[in-house]
Amino acid sequence: AVHKKQVDDMARSVERHTNRQEIDKRMLEQYIVHTADVGHPFRPVPQHQEWARRVNEEFLQQGDREKELGFTPIEMFDREKAPPLPKNQLGFLQFVIQPLWKPMEALLDTKSRPASL
């Protein structure tokens, strides 16, 4: 919920302010920190793969704990039902990283891309 709001707010701000100095600095700072937090796909492939593996294992451990507590974890956190890691990462790149990068790309006035899908 917070991710989508941050992306939408930044996209509106970048679109509204042709003078980049007018963009709210606190919002931009929070956006940059959020991008760094989820931005392992921007790293070299071996680092991205290692972070993807670590995050996936953390999700699965959370699902294990939820089961111990009697809850039903979401599919992505359930070892027996989770899609393979490559499929999870493709979804992450398409639905989280690409939308996250669009306002930054416009702000930086660059055509670089975090991943070629």
Side-chain angles (χ1 to χ4, degrees), residues 2-70:
V2 173
H3 168 80
K4 179 156 178 32
K5 182 176 179 348
Q6 281 186 312
V7 171
D8 291 346
D9 289 351
M10 183 55 70
R12 277 192 297 278
S13 185
V14 168
E15 191 175 301
R16 186 175 39 240
H17 296 100
T18 55
N19 178 352
R20 300 306 188 210
Q21 295 299 318
E22 295 174 1
I23 292 175
D24 181 280
K25 302 304 183 267
R26 182 169 295 234
M27 179 176 56
L28 177 59
E29 183 179 275
Q30 290 171 346
Y31 198 78
I32 291 168
V33 169
H34 177 60
T35 300
D37 184 42
V38 299
H40 63 82
F42 295 103
R43 308 296 306 159
V45 171
Q47 289 176 358
H48 161 63
Q49 289 173 330
E50 177 61 19
W51 277 106
R53 186 195 63 72
R54 289 179 183 194
V55 169
N56 190 63
E57 182 56 31
E58 182 179 330
F59 289 166
L60 296 175
Q61 287 178 8
Q62 179 177 329
D64 295 343
R65 183 68 178 134
E66 289 174 2
K67 283 182 177 182
E68 289 172 10
L69 295 172

Side-chain angles (χ1 to χ4, degrees), residues 91-110:
F92 179 70
L93 292 170
Q94 290 175 330
F95 299 108
V96 176
I97 296 300
Q98 284 184 332
L100 177 72
W101 184 248
K102 284 182 183 181
M104 192 62 74
E105 180 180 56
L107 179 65
L108 298 172
D109 195 29
T110 180

